[in-house]
Each structure stands twice: as structure tokens, then as C-alpha cells.
Amino acid sequence: MPATSATPATAATPAANDQLLDYVTSCALPTPWAQFTLHAFVEHTTGKEHLAMVLGDIGDGEPVLARVHSECLTGDVLFSQRCDCGAQLEGALQRIAQEGRGILLYLRQEGRGIGLLNKIRAYRLQEAGADTVEANLQLGFHADARNYELCLPMLAQFGVRKLRLMTNNPRKIDALTRLGIEVTDRVPLLVNRNAYNNSYLNTKQAKLGHMMTPPAAVPADQAPAPAATPDVI
Ligand SMILES: Nc1nc2c(ncn2[C@@H]2O[C@H](COP(=O)(O)OP(=O)(O)OP(=O)(O)O)[C@@H](O)[C@H]2O)c(=O)[nH]1
Ligand SMILES: [Zn+2]
């Protein structure tokens, strides 16, 4: 039976307006692994809706198991194998459910901050030979255009300042630390490689500094049937 959040859906009260975003409302969110409480925020400048999934008592001052997840519609919703986002999202929620306590911030900064349409443009460039970083640069963007400043008021809503952060990305840890959020531990969040995400994961490791185990080659005879251009993701 899934764990149930100790935070009732109606318990959270709107915090004072922050300069960056407003707290809006919450509801129960049953998942296959636990019943979370889903909290909704709206960002002032963009009108984007950002979300927090909370399980258990996270406001007691102890470090909280946390995932700061950037939106990836293709990976989180459409089952894309080009990246590791969907598997990381699922893995993070499962891990929080196992502990019975934690928070997942779902930030609407799709495509590392360049948006869905530009991410699809970037995928097309990758099919022509660019890697994930080169494609962003060719489109005139930084390799990673995200910022994490919303995390501070979102976490403050729940009285959270110390995280055990599920990530492989050292720049995410640096960014949160600079905001004044204490990352007490990094919890690796590794997913299986496949023929479609292998070079994407290698590029994240080589060019974006992600901390992963050494790349393991995917034997050709174990790889799924090839798509049009699987090796240039
Ligand atoms: N521009 C661009 N964005 C991508 C691509 N693949 C995935 N993304 C986006 O990248 C974001 C996820 O970033 P990742 O680099 O996979 O992981 P991370 O959040 O930095 O690090 P972890 O915490 O270890 O997962 C999501 O917003 C995805 O939409 C791509 O090829 N190009
Ligand atoms: Zn993704």
C-alpha cells in the first residue's frame, strides 16, 4: 500500500507574496508509490505554474531528500528515450516514497531553459550531427540557460533549507548553494543507458560536468532496433 503524505492537502496556507512567485493551492496526489501533496505556485513575470510534490513532515529542520527537476515534456510525459529525465523523475519519486519523506520541485524550465520548440529544434540539429551542447550554441543559446532562484521561496513555503539532493549535476548544487540552500549530501540518480541516450549522457558528463559512472558501451547486439539517427542524440 502506498505511503500517505503526513501533510493533508488542505494544510498548506498561502505564504506572504514573494517577489518571484505566489503560492496558490494544493491537493492530494496519489501516485503508484505514495500519496503526495501537490502544491502549486505561479511565477510573477512569466505566469508559469511551478509545482512541489511533498511527502511527510519536511518542516522539522532536518535535511530533506529532494529532487529539483526541470521540465522535459518529451521525457517526463511522452516516454522519450533520448534523455534520462523520465527515469530520473520516476526514480526520485520512488526514493522519496521509500523514505516516506521528501520533496520534488517541478520547475517549468523546459529544454534547459530554452523552451519546448527550441528543444525540438535542438534535437533536429542533433540529428544532423551536433551534440546536445553544440545544438544549443548553434541556436544562439547558452549550453544551459536555467536558473534556480525560484527554489528558495518554494522551499521556504515548507520551512526547508537543507537538502539531500538527488542529482548528478554539480552546477545545480553550486547554484542552490549560492542561493543559501544547504546541500548536505548529493544522492546520485543514475539511470540505465540505452542506444538512444548513450551519447547524450556522455556529453553531459564530458561537457556539462555531470557526475556519472564511466560510460559503458552498449553492445550493438543488445541495443534496441535503431531509429533513423540514434547515435547523434
Ligand atoms: N536544450 C536541450 N535540453 C534538453 C536536451 N535533453 C534534455 N533537455 C532538458 O534538460 C533538462 C534536464 O537536464 P539534464 O541535464 O538532463 O539534467 P539535470 O537536471 O541538469 O541534472 P540531474 O539533476 O543530474 O538530472 C530538462 O529541462 C530537459 O528538457 C537537449 O538535447 N537539449
Ligand atoms: Zn529529458
Side-chain angles (χ1 to χ4, degrees):
M1 171 156 171
T4 302
S5 173
T7 311
T10 53
T13 51
N17 281 5
D18 183 85
Q19 288 178 338
L20 300 175
L21 81 179
D22 284 335
Y23 181 86
V24 180
T25 191
S26 69
C27 70
L29 194 74
T31 72
W33 313 289
Q35 178 164 306
F36 290 81
T37 304
L38 179 67
H39 299 270
F41 299 78
V42 64
E43 186 178 355
H44 288 178
T45 53
T46 63
K48 283 186 179 175
E49 300 112 342
H50 303 276
L51 302 169
M53 290 174 70
V54 172
L55 187 69
D57 178 9
I58 60 170
D60 59 7
E62 292 299 313
V64 176
L65 181 64
R67 168 80 181 152
V68 174
H69 194 86
S70 302
E71 178 177 15
C72 178
L73 186 92
T74 46
D76 297 340
V77 179
L78 301 179
F79 311 102
S80 170
Q81 299 292 295
R82 300 182 73 128
C83 60
D84 52 351
C85 302
Q88 286 187 312
L89 178 61
E90 187 170 330
L93 292 175
Q94 284 177 354
R95 190 146 185 162
I96 291 170
Q98 279 163 11
E99 293 205 4
R101 178 176 178 272
I103 184 167
L104 182 139
L105 299 184
Y106 194 87
L107 303 179
R108 310 297 298 281
Q109 38 186 354
E110 168 67 69
R112 271 190 243 116
I114 69 175
L116 180 60
L117 296 182
N118 285 319
K119 185 176 81 170
I120 294 170
R121 290 187 178 106
Y123 278 159
R124 193 162 178 87
L125 291 173
Q126 289 168 42
E127 288 168 0
D131 67 29
T132 182
V133 168
E134 292 162 349
N136 265 33
L137 299 178
Q138 285 178 26
L139 289 169
F141 297 106
H142 292 295
D144 190 340
R146 287 176 289 181
N147 90 57
Y148 297 95
E149 61 182 356
L150 297 180
C151 295
L152 192 61
M154 289 176 82
L155 292 171
Q157 174 74 32
F158 309 103
V160 173
R161 289 194 74 90
K162 297 180 185 175
L163 305 182
R164 292 166 47 227
L165 190 67
M166 290 182 273
T167 185
N168 309 317
N169 184 350
R171 284 166 304 106
K172 190 181 286 184
I173 297 172
D174 287 348
L176 295 177
T177 303
R178 280 199 301 275
L179 288 167
I181 298 163
E182 187 180 339
V183 178
T184 62
D185 295 289
R186 180 182 79 87
V187 181
L189 199 53
L190 299 171
V191 304
N192 289 335
R193 289 170 181 269
N194 60 45
Y196 305 102
N197 69 18
N198 198 39
S199 42
Y200 170 72
L201 296 177
N202 287 346
T203 302
K204 288 212 300 187
Q205 186 170 11
K207 291 192 172 180
L208 297 172
H210 284 234
M211 298 172 278
M212 300 186 204
T213 50
V218 178
D221 59 350
Q222 292 176 22
T229 50
D231 293 327
V232 293
I233 293 166

